[in-house]
Amino acid sequence: MSPRRVYLRDAYDHSVQLIETVETLRGVSSSLMDVYPSSASNRLNQIMKVLTVISTIFIPLTFLTGLYGMNFTHMPELGWR
């Protein structure tokens, strides 16, 4: 084999290896781009869970406060001792 042919075969091997590395890195970057929205969605779900618990506690209390805070003259509970 001539030195030129050995050089071209070596260059071909290096270029194939480089293309495979680029394809692998493209797959990794695509996976990383999918991970970020998933992480943001998970964080939003945690926040929504906390807000749901807080609203579950305070909405009935707000209703009762609003109901008994009104000025009624004819309400059955007003005459109770």
Side-chain angles (χ1 to χ4, degrees), residues 44-54:
L44 179 65
N45 287 340
Q46 293 295 326
I47 291 170
M48 288 302 292
K49 188 181 350 177
V50 170
L51 291 175
T52 302
V53 168
I54 290 172

Side-chain angles (χ1 to χ4, degrees), residues 12-13 16-17 20 28 32 45 50 53 63 65 74:
Y12 174 75
D13 288 340
V16 167
Q17 187 178 18
E20 288 175 357
V28 168
L32 286 176
N45 287 340
V50 170
V53 168
F63 173 73
T65 302
H74 301 291

Side-chain angles (χ1 to χ4, degrees), residues 7-27:
Y7 173 76
L8 288 176
R9 186 170 293 178
D10 190 41
Y12 174 75
D13 288 340
H14 285 295
S15 65
V16 167
Q17 187 178 18
L18 186 63
I19 289 171
E20 288 175 357
T21 303
V22 167
E23 289 293 323
T24 302
L25 291 176
R26 186 176 65 149

